[in-house]
Amino acid sequence: MNANQERSLPWRLEDIPFDRIDPSLVRHRDDLFYLVTASSFVEILSDLTTRNLVTYYAGDAEVGGWLSSHWEHEEVQHGNALREYVLRVWPEFDWDSTYARFFAEYSQICTVDELEPTRCLEMAARCVVEMGTATYYRALAEFAPEPVLRELALRIKDDEIRHYKHFYRFFTVYRERESLGRWRVFGALMRRLAAVRSDDAEIALWHAFESRHPGARRDTGEFRSMFSQVSRLVRRHFPADMAIKMLVKPLDLHPIVSSALIPPLSQVTERWILR
Ligand SMILES: [Fe+2]
Ligand SMILES: [Fe+2]
């Protein structure tokens, strides 16, 4: 990151009062260890996602410029801040080698081939990803028992909402160019929603779990029960209305239709994302 890029960050690691963390409020919480560690893994991996997206949007200087000069650095900063939090509270955890195992697995499935078939549809899918992170960090800020973690989650949530707005604006530009119907957009939103639920979080949680339980099985037993436990925790605080508003926005529905859809869709989304 050069000096200009560093200046353009909305906040920096030095702004987070890591010295004021009270480990006694959080150190005994295994669920938070797994959630915060898994989040740090996925966020730091954003450099790989950025490379894929920059390749996919080659020739679009505005999108490429924003992705590599702003978005990537902000996402990686989320990861670095969460990593620092983990290491302050659980200093015995070997973050680097656990991340290396996560990276070895996740980088195999995070490729350009995984992207949507058109640039407009991929922008719609990126809106789903940012919706997922914005709502997750809002939930984390609500259930975090420790003030510094709460502050960090709120800062990240604000960044994710801003990212959503950028991707949404790029989406509207490509929608004009590609003149795709609502059903094509709907399909992209649903596909990415299904992927948000299953991929990143589970792989990241698994590697965090395995580092503490060598020899554990991924498909049964303790890992599955930890996975259900953290899912229940997030679900209890999940801002479903916020998720639905962000999810249906790219469909450009009449405001009356959107507001009629919000209550039933909220329940479905809440259950679907965090089964
Ligand atoms: Fe992020
Ligand atoms: Fe983001």
Side-chain angles (χ1 to χ4, degrees), residues 43 46 71 74-76 78-79 82 130 133 137 156 159-160 163:
E43 295 276 3
S46 301
W71 184 74
E74 293 182 20
E75 298 292 11
V76 171
H78 297 166
L82 293 162
E130 299 292 347
T133 50
Y137 287 110
I156 299 179
D159 288 351
E160 309 296 15
H163 296 164

Side-chain angles (χ1 to χ4, degrees), residues 230-238 270-271 274-275:
V230 298
S231 297
R232 272 199 305 278
L233 176 65
V234 178
R235 192 166 53 225
R236 272 206 303 280
H237 299 270
F238 186 69
E270 198 176 326
R271 280 195 215 116
L274 300 157
R275 250 196 338 204

Side-chain angles (χ1 to χ4, degrees), residues 84-103:
E84 182 64 23
Y85 191 89
V86 168
L87 292 176
R88 296 277 182 135
V89 177
W90 297 277
E92 71 285 0
F93 175 59
D94 186 351
W95 192 96
D96 291 340
S97 58
T98 312
Y99 176 75
R101 290 194 292 278
F102 162 74
F103 182 84

